[in-house]
């Protein structure tokens, strides 16, 4: 059974990524496999490494949220 699209939150991280990249909390991690490498953005405001992905923390109802409440610019 698949989940109907209207039940899932709208994925907006592509538009939010620029703000996350400018935040002083962002930590870039490289995930490598045998075929490719990918740079992921992690947020340093939380110690939980399983759920500190910037895209997860920017979801509605999460600590940073779509409004980027935890954003702090780099000096």
């Amino acid at each position: 059974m698949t989940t109907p699209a209207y039940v899932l939150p709208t994925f907006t991280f592509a538009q939010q990524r620029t703000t996350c990249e400018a935040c002083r909390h962002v930590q870039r991690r490289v995930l490598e496999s045998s075929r490719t490498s990918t740079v992921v953005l992690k947020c340093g405001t939380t110690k939980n490494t399983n759920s500190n992905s910037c895209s997860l923390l920017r979801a509605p109802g999460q600590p940073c949220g779509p409004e980027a409440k935890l954003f702090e610019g780099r000096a």
Side-chain angles (χ1 to χ4, degrees), residues 38-54:
T38 304
V39 176
V40 295
L41 302 179
K42 299 287 189 171
C43 183
T45 62
T46 179
K47 302 295 182 215
N48 186 347
T49 58
N50 293 326
S51 63
N52 69 344
S53 168
C54 288

